[in-house]
Amino acid sequence: MAFNLKGRSLLTWLDYTPDEIRYVLDLSAQLKAFKRAGIRGRNLEGKTIALLFEKPSTRTRCAFVVACVDEGAHPEYLGKNDIQFGKKETVKDTARVLGRMFDGIEFRGFSHETVEGLAKYSGVPVWNGLTDMFHPTQALADVLTLQENFGEVKGLTLAYVGDGRNNVANSLQVISAKLGIDCRIVSPKSLFPSESLVARCRDVAAATGAKITITDDVKAGVKGAHALYTDVWASMGEEDKIPERIALLKPYQVNEAMFEATGRKEAIFLHCLPAFHDLNTDVSKKFPDIQEVSDGVFEGPQSRVFDQAENRLHTIKAIMVATLG
Ligand code: CP
Ligand code: NVA
């Protein structure tokens, strides 16, 4: 069934019904198949898209750019030092200017209020490419990856282990609640997600058959999981917290023993990336214990992280096509 999502922004999946999310998910799979078959779409022909980035990005930026080009749109990258935004001009004024020139706006940055302001005042669809609070386009790629591996996602068990209150964990909690997934957020108590978000997700879950569990018990949290998911222990903007997070999160490293504890041979490993899994980055050279995932798991047969990264392209394309095409 087709849904009319034209003109809608995507700030968090909380604003979408389960059927609307499934529609965008199906469209993602379809667009992926078209791309594999060499069929080019013209769904965004003649559109111009602003890409606002306050924080760095590899996957999200590239996915938006390639998705635009694949579908005939023109992307314009606007980095934090390229425009007046934030220094000499407010969110409200920037939104009104960009909305007069562009057909859609992607925003990645710190405050979730910024992306809400852009959506409120620009008059065009605004897509959240990550804020401190949510990372919804990532969560859709994660669910597509689950679907590719297990078929129907309803009833699957997803255990996210690590910093339980970051943007990725929050968005996984939301999309799991919407799609009937048994979602476990496994983290130290001091990094549990906000009670208000958990309450909202549990409300949604009551209607969809999802389950939301927040626990600091790794063994219980990962038991029966179809997928173990982790993210960096200190997100962008939290670099000063690295030493304390390493101390807190070391017992939550995703490794071979944790996979054993799932009791499920077919369990897969997911990570939004970038990941610390070896000592080959500047940060991991400085902090050798920062590894949220062992190199063996990251490079091993359970790992689906590069499928997940590719799926950012297909899902971001589907989001733009559904809301703008
Ligand atoms: N997963 C993700 O959002 O990656 P980037 O920070 O590279 O965009
Ligand atoms: N939680 C991470 C996700 C990066 C894609 C961060 O915000 O840095």
Side-chain angles (χ1 to χ4, degrees), residues 55 59-60 108 130-132 135 138 160 163 166-168 231-232 234-237 272-274 312:
K55 291 176 178 174
R59 280 141 289 266
T60 309
R108 163 172 289 201
L130 178 150
T131 60
D132 286 346
H135 196 4
Q138 177 70 54
Y160 170 95
D163 175 4
N166 77 10
N167 38 25
V168 168
D231 184 11
V232 290
S235 286
M236 288 179 274
C272 55
L273 306 182
R312 300 296 309 287

Side-chain angles (χ1 to χ4, degrees), residues 18 48 77 208 250 322:
T48 48
Y77 179 81
T208 63
K250 247 189 133 181

Side-chain angles (χ1 to χ4, degrees), residues 9-12 15 50 52 54 64 85 91-92 95 105-137:
S9 289
L10 171 61
L11 308 188
T12 145
D15 309 331
L52 256 67
E54 283 180 346
F64 270 99
F85 182 53
V91 172
K92 188 174 175 178
I105 301 168
E106 178 276 355
F107 172 78
R108 163 172 289 201
F110 293 90
S111 165
H112 193 69
E113 281 169 14
T114 305
V115 80
E116 289 174 337
L118 290 170
K120 187 167 175 195
Y121 296 111
S122 66
V124 297
V126 171
W127 308 291
N128 177 2
L130 178 150
T131 60
D132 286 346
M133 213 184 290
F134 291 109
H135 196 4
T137 65

Side-chain angles (χ1 to χ4, degrees), residues 232-233 246 253-254 269 271 273-299 306:
V232 290
W233 290 342
I246 290 174
Q253 185 199 57
V254 175
F269 173 65
H271 193 307
L273 306 182
F276 294 119
H277 60 94
D278 57 24
L279 299 181
N280 295 331
T281 69
D282 291 348
V283 176
S284 43
K285 275 181 198 138
K286 191 162 166 211
F287 301 101
D289 288 334
I290 201 172
Q291 294 172 46
E292 69 272 6
V293 53
S294 69
D295 198 44
V297 165
F298 185 91
E299 299 289 358
F306 295 106

